[in-house]
Amino acid sequence: MDGQWFRRFGDPAPDALRLICFPHAGGAASAYRPLSRLLRPHVEVRAVQYPGRQDRRLETPVADIGELAATVARKLEDEAEAEARAGRTGDAGAPFAFFGHSMGALVAYETARILEERGARPPRRLFLSARGAPGSRRSPHDVPADDDAILAAVRRLGGTGVALLDDPELVAMVLPALRADYAALAAYSWTPGEPLRTPVTVLCGDADPVVSVEEAAGWRAFTHAETEVRVFPGGHFYVDQRLDDVAGVVLRGVRPASAARVGNDACHDSSRAFDVRG
């Protein structure tokens, strides 16, 4: 796996399913370290590290959802081909799934779409969190006018990282990535095409200030497979408070037999669920 684009936290079991995780706007791969801790060794989290943040902060951020998705898809295909050439058919054929939060949900969806269009092996399941389905109406949240508006939009979303915005030095460090990510969101336009064949699990908070449950459930139109919607108490970053529950949903979605073995058992699920057939 390309160490520049993907981060792995801890050692998984030999037969672990791979969960490729896509961060939110301004986010980094490390955002998925807590989820990885709960899921391993049964699921191996490989978090995407976009250019322009953390150890890649000196690189130019990518302000294009499609370009990010195309790069990740190419990296995944290259790895599968390399492992096949090396005779590691077990690794090359290992199942995988995608998890994307907020902006990351769009990147995950577009990456899955590229893999299907190319005839490559698609993810076993797509987990799309805290993001409404693409549509003709652009969310005002995605098009802040300037840096002050970007910071105001981030504060509105809440989450544990909001306090960092009170430190001018940290703000100066994260602004380039935030500018690029919000530019990518503002420029993103869904191109109509064939729905995916991949099952989708949609996750959202019932008090999200920018994504309604109805908007999130709209993902049902983007796949021919089944769509499950899980609604959690909380806002845009509901995951911060419901991490055990989210880990349980992931395990039940990709490896049902392993669900009882995650973290603190992950047996208490505070979400509301309903199935939507696409």
Side-chain angles (χ1 to χ4, degrees), residues 1-9 19-23 28-33 36 44-50 99:
M1 178 64 72
D2 188 317
Q4 182 184 34
W5 277 86
F6 300 93
R7 301 290 184 272
R8 189 175 75 179
F9 311 106
L19 185 68
I20 311 300
C21 294
F22 299 77
S30 60
Y32 287 102
R33 187 184 297 274
S36 174
E44 175 191 0
V45 168
R46 295 188 176 189
V48 179
Q49 187 75 302
Y50 306 137
F99 187 106

Side-chain angles (χ1 to χ4, degrees), residues 77-227:
E77 290 179 301
D78 288 348
E79 182 193 21
E81 291 176 4
E83 290 176 337
R85 286 196 301 269
R88 295 164 58 189
T89 55
D91 285 344
F96 65 96
F98 288 169
F99 187 106
H101 184 80
S102 196
M103 183 191 85
L106 286 180
V107 185
Y109 161 72
E110 290 291 350
T111 304
R113 196 179 186 191
I114 290 170
L115 292 175
E116 285 201 6
E117 289 173 349
R118 291 179 180 171
R121 189 162 53 92
R124 174 177 290 187
R125 181 170 287 270
L126 194 57
F127 296 91
L128 302 176
S129 172
R131 183 73 199 185
S136 57
R137 185 181 68 86
R138 194 178 303 277
S139 170
H141 174 82
D142 290 346
V143 287
D146 52 29
D147 287 353
D148 288 341
I150 289 174
L151 297 178
V154 174
R155 289 183 184 279
R156 184 184 180 199
L157 295 180
T160 56
V162 168
L164 300 178
L165 299 182
D166 295 328
D167 186 326
E169 292 186 3
L170 290 176
V171 168
M173 289 178 61
V174 301
L175 258 178
L178 281 170
R179 289 190 194 109
D181 290 350
Y182 272 95
L185 289 170
Y188 175 75
S189 179
W190 179 72
T191 302
E194 185 69 16
L196 298 174
R197 299 184 299 275
T198 302
V200 173
T201 295
V202 178
L203 306 92
C204 60
D206 62 3
D208 191 317
V210 298
V211 181
S212 69
V213 174
E214 292 73 21
E215 289 170 331
W219 282 108
R220 67 183 180 271
F222 290 77
T223 180
H224 286 305
E226 78 274 7
T227 304

